[in-house]
């Protein structure tokens, strides 16, 4: 007889078609109903997500007390254990760890429990990187719904999911997360008949805006159970997984559903990337400052507040852009608050580390640079500072930059952020070499000279015999990018517009095969107008020892764009900024990069690298996309701003912006949006993007992407000389530079214990050693493995658990 585990739940989106306050109301009413019914019926109510339990704890203490009682009685099950159900494609691996860590902290402190089954019913796909994370965070199984069988064929709905590092967990794909009000018994029978396994689970209860179990449904289920046609068990995910032993193995990410959500609501996505970088950078700086003795306190409470801001913004209807505008606004508020607090923490750590610097010499403008990477780096660093006095004459102040030994180093004065036509504010870029997670001092000296008109090349070409870059003056495209005579891309960074529809999810079947139709290229503005009025359509705006800057202006229909190429002269890289002034609806804008050779497209995901589609299907990846060529070279695009892309006919198309409507998708044959009134559109106006183009070995990609996203932090500081040098010293070293340090942070609620997370995001096993503040440990990584180390009392130890 078939054994059916009934998982009673109420799918509640805290925010989606409604604001969060209405979400609170739904949670309170649904949970009160579930508590009341627990007094009448013998069933188990299961619910997840710290966010909603915190609502109850804050707004209805008697209800919270009732839930605590039912948990102890076994009639209420804390399910999932994560902070919330995040998007499961776009957060970094470390963000997923924090989802589980903050969930465990809360549920253990309030209820003394932590579930071993992770659940994500509603997210729009699931990265394979989750397997290792779930396993090493103390969970052994995963229950999900999307994507559906037609979108993601699997050998079975019950399977073993194998991660990049070889670890496995049990997984069950449920066909639905709920049942219609008053029809649960019928739905249970239908789902039982549709699944071939002897032991299955059925998620039941009214959801999608709360509700949960109803009196009628509980009565009908009791009657169905008494008929004895199938064995019905009021159960939990853990009890269900204990009864199954899947044998089929899946070794891919679980996609795809709603590929439009890789791009929709881009402002949320860009700020999400920014907060991930700022939080993990701030934690590194705080740890360095504490371990070196420069700071005595570690702001744990603020770190947790910022972490919660980040985790809430990762909710699966906020980060993917499938919500109403009120939810977008709430997400932006969370992210902006987190960014402000992270910036404050970073600044406090920076000034603590700078406190033992000597006071400035006569005429010196000190520039202090902190390197957040765990290896020495040489990077072109930008910094602004104010001259000691305003220069109102027709002369100009010339800049010289020196290192700690007094050697002059290459530098270039570039346009400052201010637009005051006065020689007063300066912005410089210079080549800085900074030790691992350390600070280095550079000194700027000034000299007043006669003003000379800038001398710039007539053609936007750079060629030093090793690196050749040419911008086509007639098209504004990157015509050539070659190293040592090998051309990697050509006629690139072409903006293209596609026809689209108003649906932010992109739910229609044809959109799974290709998102966007009728490709049309932008063209150089013939007579720049509007925001570009009076400008040349292509010009060299900067040229010096560090880089040549080329600006090109484009247009198509109601959209305008500026592309700024920063062609470095002292390395192999090109940085590209895109300022897109978007004014079209039901359109999709992409950035096209044709490659000159064949290969395999790869992209970064959570603690891993995966092969991407090359048949025009939309891809989701994180901070790098690269072409793995047969010669071992990987031309790559690094970014800090987007997730979506597609590849066809040898060209990569980076997905920039979609002019879709808030929270709209097809329902039967009805119009997607009303046609008799204005409907709000997403991402209209200015949208800004930043990219880095380079050629790397595959083992270099992770650190290269991290260096682009967590740049050295530079500031003009005049030390006061008010603090003696600490007796403690900070040092960090990694023998194999393909290993990256994801984070260093103080362990929660501990004294003197620090967590270090290391990642081998390569397909090769790596044997290396790592040292921190004099402590050393030998390490053996399997491909794509994440290791968590603990540093305490001068010793490093390896932990089997990620969440500490």
């Amino acid at each position: 007889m078939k054994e059916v585990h009934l998982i009673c739940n109420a799918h509640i989106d805290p925010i989606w078609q409604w604001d969060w306050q209405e979400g609170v109301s739904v949670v309170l009413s649904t949970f009160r109903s579930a508590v009341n019914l627990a007094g009448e019926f013998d069933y188990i109510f299961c619910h997840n997500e710290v966010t909603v339990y915190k609502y109850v704890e804050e707004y209805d203490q008697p209800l919270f007390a009732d839930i605590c009682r039912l948990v102890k009685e076994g009639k209420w099950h804390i399910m999932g254990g994560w902070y919330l159900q995040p998007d499961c494609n776009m957060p970094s691996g470390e963000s997923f760890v924090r989802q589980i860590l903050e969930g465990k902290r809360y549920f253990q402190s309030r209820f003394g429990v932590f579930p071993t089954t992770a659940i994500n019913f509603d997210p729009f796909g699931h990265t394979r990187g989750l397997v290792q994370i779930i396993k090493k965070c103390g969970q052994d199984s995963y229950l999900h719904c999307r994507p559906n069988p037609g979108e993601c064929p699997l050998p079975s709905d019950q399977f073993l999911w194998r991660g990049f590092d070889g670890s496995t967990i049990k997984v069950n794909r449920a066909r639905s997360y709920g049942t219609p009000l008053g029809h649960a018994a019928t739905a249970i029978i239908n789902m039982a008949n549709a699944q071939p396994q002897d032991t299955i689970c059925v998620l039941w209860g009214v959801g999608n805006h709360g509700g949960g179990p109803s009196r009628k449904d509980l009565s009908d289920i009791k009657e169905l159970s008494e008929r004895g046609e199938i064995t019905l068990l009021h159960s939990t995910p853990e009890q269900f997984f204990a009864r199954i032993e899947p044998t089929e193995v899946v070794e891919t990410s679980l996609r795809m559903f709603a590929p439009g959500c890789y791009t929709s609501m881009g402002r949320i996505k860009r700020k999400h990337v920014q907060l991930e970088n700022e939080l993990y950078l701030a934690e590194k700086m705080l740890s360095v400052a504490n371990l070196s003795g420069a700071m005595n306190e570690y702001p744990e409470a603020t770190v947790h507040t910022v972490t919660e801001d980040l985790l809430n913004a990762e909710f699966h209807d906020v980060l993917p852009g499938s919500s109403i505008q009120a939810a977008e606004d709430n997400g932006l508020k969370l992210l902006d608050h987190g960014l402000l607090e992270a910036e404050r923490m970073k600044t406090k750590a920076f000034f603590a580390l700078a406190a033992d610097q000597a006071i400035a010499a006569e005429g010196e403008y000190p520039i202090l640079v902190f390197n957040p990477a765990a290896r020495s780096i040489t990077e072109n660093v930008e910094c602004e500072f104010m001259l000691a006095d305003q220069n109102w004459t027709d002369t100009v102040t010339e800049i010289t930059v020196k290192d700690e030994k007094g050697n002059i180093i290459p530098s270039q004065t570039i346009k400052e952020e201010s637009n005051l036509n006065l020689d007063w504010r300066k912005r410089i870029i210079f080549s800085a070499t900074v030790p691992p997670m350390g600070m280095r001092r550079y000194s700027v000296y000034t000299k007043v000279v006669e003003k000379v008109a800038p001398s710039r090349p007539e053609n936007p070409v750079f060629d030093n015999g090793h690196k050749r870059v040419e911008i086509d003056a007639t098209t504004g495209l990157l015509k050539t990018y070659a190293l040592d005579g090998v051309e990697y891309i050509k006629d690139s960074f072409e903006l293209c517009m596609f026809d689209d529809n108003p649906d932010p999810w992109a739910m229609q079947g044809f959109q799974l095969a290709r998102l966007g139709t009728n490709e049309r290229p932008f063209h150089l503005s013939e007579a720049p107008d509007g925001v570009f009025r009076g400008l040349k359509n292509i010009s060299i705006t900067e040229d010096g020892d560090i880089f040549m800057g080329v600006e090109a202006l484009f247009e198509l229909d109601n959209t305008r764009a500026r592309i700024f190429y920063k062609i470095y002269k002292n390395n192999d890289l090109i940085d590209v900024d895109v300022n897109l002034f978007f004014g079209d609806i039901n359109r999709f804008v992409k950035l096209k990069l044709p490659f000159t050779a064949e290969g395999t497209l790869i992209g970064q995901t959570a603690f891993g690298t995966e092969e991407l589609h090359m048949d025009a299907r939309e891809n989701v990846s994180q901070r790098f996309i690269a072409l793995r060529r047969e010669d071992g070279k990987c031309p790559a695009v690094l970014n800090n701003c987007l997730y979506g892309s597609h590849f066809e006919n040898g060209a990569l198309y980076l997905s920039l912006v979609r002019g879709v409507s808030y929270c709209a998708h097809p329902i039967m044959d009805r119009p997607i949006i009303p046609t008799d009134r204005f409907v709000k559109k997403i991402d209209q106006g200015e949208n800004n993007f930043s990219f880095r183009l380079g050629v790397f070995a595959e083992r270099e990609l992770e650190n290269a992407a991290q260096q682009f996203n967590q740049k050295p932090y530079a500031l003009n500081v005049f030390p006061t000389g008010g603090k003696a040098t600490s007796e403690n010293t900070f040092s960090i070293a990694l023998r194999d530079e393909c290993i990256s340090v994801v984070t260093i942070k103080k362990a929660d609620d501990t004294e003197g214990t620090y967590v270090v997370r290391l990642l081998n995001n390569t397909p090769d096993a790596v044997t290396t050693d790592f040292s921190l503040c004099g402590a050393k440990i030998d390490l053996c990584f399997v491909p794509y493995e994440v290791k968590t180390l603990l540093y305490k009392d001068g010793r490093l130890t390896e932990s089997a658990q990620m969440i500490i």
Side-chain angles (χ1 to χ4, degrees), residues 694-706:
V695 178
F696 308 90
E698 186 171 344
R699 68 197 321 266
E700 298 172 335
L701 286 169
E702 182 72 28
N703 277 321
Q706 187 180 99

Side-chain angles (χ1 to χ4, degrees), residues 6 38 41-46 66-78 111 113 234-236 239:
L6 301 178
F41 296 91
D42 185 18
Y43 81 105
I44 304 171
F45 184 70
C46 305
D66 286 340
I67 293 171
C68 291
R69 171 179 55 81
L70 290 175
V71 170
K72 290 179 180 178
E73 294 174 2
K75 301 194 70 175
W76 188 295
H77 181 70
I78 303 299
F111 303 101
V113 300
H234 290 291
S235 188
T236 68
Q239 291 171 355

Side-chain angles (χ1 to χ4, degrees), residues 178-180 183-193 202-204 224:
T179 52
H183 298 280
T186 300
I188 290 167
I189 293 172
N190 291 339
M191 283 189 268
N193 291 335
V202 174
L203 308 176
W204 78 276
L224 177 62

Side-chain angles (χ1 to χ4, degrees), residues 564-568 573-577 691-693 708:
F564 183 68
Y565 302 95
K566 192 177 289 185
I567 304 165
Y568 292 109
L573 306 173
I574 304 173
D575 284 353
V576 180
D577 294 334
F691 305 97
R692 172 165 287 178
L693 176 66
F708 181 63

